[in-house]
Amino acid sequence: MKAICFNFEIHQPMRLKRYRFFDIGNDHYYYDDFLNDEIVSRVAHNSYIPAAETILRMIEQTKGAFRCSISISGVALEQLEQYVPEFIDLLKKLADTGAVEFLAVPYAHSLASLTDPDEFAQQVKVECDKLHSLLGVKPKVLHNTELIYDDEIAPQALAMGFKGILTEGAKHILGWKSPNYVYDAASAPKVRLLLKNDKLSDDIAARFSDTSWDEYPLTADKYISWIASTPAEEQVVNICLNLETFGGFHTANTGIFQFLEALPRFAAEKGVEFRTPSQVLSVLKPVGELSVMHPISGADEARDVTAWLGNSLQNEAFNKLYSVAERVRLCDDRRLKQDWYYLQGSDHLYYMSTKHFADGAAHSMFSPYETPYQAFTNYMNVLADFIVRVEEQYPLSIENEELNSLLTTIRNQATEIETLNKELGSMRKNIEQFNVEHALREPEAKEAKAETDTKKKAAKKPAAKKPAAKKAK
């Protein structure tokens, strides 16, 4: 039976405040709290909350037949916990239905997978721990930032314990192949690839309220008919959408929520079901291997990573940021580590894009800056202050290898001191126990000694002589 696999993505970056050159070294707080609060609260109430409520109704009305997955960055979770805690309650309800699967993403929504495998693995682990503590779920499928994927990522995903990866069904990679199948990763055949159906995803994300589109208006009946009419052997259609599509990019008065809620009814009529990514991977077998030698993503027409690393500004900021990655991981400063995550957000580099035409319009729509150059200047000022703080803990004059050696020695010494302290503590406890037992036994010992002394004295005392018997006359 043909299935639809929905994935809804949620992410909000920590937007930076205007940070001047003269703030470097003087101001270590980088974020525009007012702007972040305003945007996150507005998007949550216009989009996230009504969309989540709609999905919850769909699950209840279909008795669990409607299923989907959600990918939410750790940075977004932090802000939603702070500004819109009622949405977190909705996520918990969705998780409790068992019909919603939560996928693993890099906590910071970063590009770490392109340059730093250790950082990438650590962020995914932190994200999984966060989801488990907050929602009680354990992700089994990986969704990298903006669907970024290449052959180097699959072995990392396998090492982290994931059985599948959700990524872009890029035309220049697929060629004549269809995205509506499960594929093996060429670099790690045990890892399965689920590919986004670009056209059917964009029919909702980009064209739903476009009155100039020749298929306008898009109805649930029409949309399900398109999916049902795909070749019978193509058994899964992966639809990846930003949750902000519903009520955000397409406002409620366009009928977007009614469209979403009507999908299960028409799907049932056409014999189309809904599955989570893990269900797809457990039911469908891969039809072949897929190799991706150069990184792909879900952004822009080229479906590559030039949205974030397409010009000299972006590459300079990217390289400067990750030049201190190893040192930040070595430190124990909680505030520094938090800033490290926030500054890795891919959005900061996205704002620096100088692309023109259709792509340029998309980039500028999301940016809080007037120009890419303003975004670059502001970010580099913040990064300069951040690196100064890192250098205060671990001077850049010390090479990484030398620093690692020194820190290893320090850790070994600390471990040895800790072991000795434990041994000392154990000895002290033994002495204290001995003293206590000795104190308890001392009266008994004195009494026993007194009794022994008495017996000895009695033994030494000469016996009384009997009177001699009188002789008979």
Side-chain angles (χ1 to χ4, degrees):
M1 182 180 288
K2 194 177 297 295
I4 302 173
C5 183
F6 267 113
N7 176 258
F8 301 110
E9 182 183 9
I10 301 171
H11 170 63
Q12 289 295 331
M14 285 293 288
R15 296 166 182 84
L16 304 175
K17 67 182 180 182
R18 293 298 186 266
Y19 194 89
R20 303 170 303 165
F21 175 78
F22 299 103
D23 292 325
I24 299 172
N26 298 313
D27 182 2
H28 302 320
Y29 191 79
Y30 312 132
Y31 315 105
D32 191 333
D33 291 336
F34 178 80
L35 182 62
N36 287 320
D37 184 358
E38 189 275 324
I39 291 178
V40 171
S41 298
R42 171 169 48 81
V43 172
H45 288 99
N46 291 342
S47 173
Y48 295 164
I49 290 176
E53 290 173 341
T54 301
I55 293 171
L56 191 59
R57 281 198 306 274
M58 293 164 71
I59 294 171
E60 292 170 348
Q61 290 169 1
T62 61
K63 298 181 180 179
F66 178 78
R67 294 175 173 270
C68 64
S69 64
I70 292 176
S71 305
I72 179 167
S73 71
V75 175
L77 274 172
E78 283 188 28
Q79 295 182 78
L80 288 163
E81 282 183 287
Q82 181 178 358
Y83 301 127
V84 198
E86 60 268 35
F87 180 66
I88 301 297
D89 293 335
L90 273 173
L91 290 180
K92 291 177 181 177
K93 290 180 180 179
L94 289 173
D96 290 341
T97 65
V100 178
E101 180 178 4
F102 287 82
L103 307 190
V105 301
Y107 190 92
H109 201 259
S110 72
L111 304 179
S113 62
L114 299 177
T115 187
D116 193 330
D118 291 337
E119 180 64 26
F120 177 55
Q122 187 179 60
Q123 283 192 32
V124 172
K125 181 182 183 305
V126 172
E127 171 73 13
C128 290
D129 291 343
K130 177 79 171 177
L131 289 173
H132 185 253
S133 65
L134 193 64
L135 305 176
V137 298
K138 292 183 178 180
K140 299 177 182 178
V141 176
L142 177 65
H143 176 180
N144 194 15
T145 302
E146 300 293 343
L147 298 174
I148 290 173
Y149 176 78
D150 64 15
D151 286 340
E152 293 184 4
I153 292 177
Q156 296 177 56
L158 181 63
M160 288 187 276
F162 296 109
K163 61 182 181 180
I165 300 174
L166 181 64
T167 186
E168 176 68 28
K171 293 178 183 177
H172 67 279
I173 296 297
L174 285 171
W176 56 269
K177 298 176 182 177
S178 168
N180 302 334
Y181 292 101
V182 176
Y183 292 89
D184 280 332
S187 56
K190 290 184 179 180
V191 176
R192 308 287 187 257
L193 301 179
L194 292 172
L195 307 180
K196 169 188 171 185
N197 186 304
D198 191 57
K199 179 191 178 301
L200 289 169
S201 295
D202 282 352
D203 284 341
I204 300 175
R207 293 181 279 271
F208 182 83
S209 58
D210 182 3
T211 55
S212 64
W213 182 30
D214 57 2
E215 293 291 350
Y216 180 87
L218 179 62
T219 63
D221 186 14
K222 183 191 295 185
Y223 190 73
I224 293 296
S225 296
W226 290 346
I227 293 175
S229 63
T230 56
E233 62 273 16
E234 298 181 1
Q235 294 186 318
V236 60
V237 178
N238 300 300
I239 306 298
C240 301
L241 302 167
N242 190 321
L243 192 61
E244 202 173 341
T245 299
F246 303 92
F249 306 151
H250 303 288
T251 56
N253 59 14
T254 63
I256 189 77
F257 291 110
Q258 290 81 358
F259 165 82
L260 178 63
E261 193 164 356
L263 289 175
R265 178 165 70 90
F266 291 103
E269 292 177 2
K270 299 289 185 180
V272 177
E273 63 181 5
F274 298 90
R275 290 178 182 163
T276 64
S278 287
Q279 286 181 318
V280 171
L281 295 177
S282 64
V283 172
L284 300 182
K285 295 182 178 180
V287 296
E289 288 187 348
L290 195 65
S291 178
V292 182
M293 299 185 67
H294 303 287
I296 59 174
S297 78
D300 298 344
E301 187 65 27
R303 297 298 190 256
D304 56 16
V305 295
T306 55
W308 307 275
L309 299 173
N311 62 43
S312 58
L313 302 178
Q314 294 168 312
N315 281 282
E316 181 179 348
F318 180 76
N319 293 331
K320 191 74 171 177
L321 173 68
Y322 283 100
S323 68
V324 297
E326 192 167 354
R327 293 165 190 269
V328 177
R329 282 197 295 273
L330 292 171
C331 81
D332 296 320
D333 188 323
R334 185 176 177 182
R335 176 70 180 277
L336 201 66
K337 283 183 176 289
Q338 185 181 55
D339 289 337
W340 169 241
Y341 277 167
Y342 294 164
L343 294 180
Q344 283 186 79
S346 62
D347 309 77
H348 302 305
L349 296 172
Y350 191 82
Y351 302 149
M352 301 176 198
S353 175
T354 52
K355 287 188 173 185
H356 300 294
F357 308 113
D359 289 348
H363 285 258
S364 61
M365 181 176 72
F366 294 105
S367 178
Y369 302 97
E370 294 180 3
T371 68
Y373 306 100
Q374 188 183 88
F376 172 76
T377 301
N378 200 68
Y379 182 80
M380 293 305 284
N381 285 341
V382 169
L383 189 56
D385 183 80
F386 177 76
I387 291 176
V388 167
R389 291 165 58 203
V390 174
E391 189 171 5
E392 286 176 353
Q393 295 208 23
Y394 302 116
L396 299 182
S397 58
I398 303 176
E399 295 294 333
N400 283 339
E401 291 184 5
E402 183 182 355
L403 180 61
N404 284 333
S405 177
L406 290 171
L407 289 172
T408 300
T409 301
I410 291 170
R411 288 196 185 100
N412 290 339
Q413 289 176 345
T415 302
E416 186 176 351
I417 291 171
E418 185 179 356
T419 301
L420 291 172
N421 283 334
K422 286 181 180 179
E423 291 178 0
L424 181 60
S426 179
M427 291 174 65
R428 283 175 176 167
K429 285 183 180 179
N430 290 337
I431 292 171
E432 289 174 1
Q433 183 67 24
F434 173 80
N435 290 335
V436 170
E437 292 177 356
H438 185 70
L440 290 174
R441 292 174 182 172
E442 189 173 354
E444 296 177 2
K446 286 181 178 180
E447 185 178 345
K449 187 175 182 302
E451 186 177 346
T452 303
D453 291 344
T454 302
K455 287 181 179 180
K456 286 181 179 179
K457 287 179 180 178
K460 289 179 180 180
K461 186 176 181 181
K465 293 182 179 182
K466 292 181 180 179
K470 293 182 178 180
K471 291 182 180 181
K473 290 183 179 179

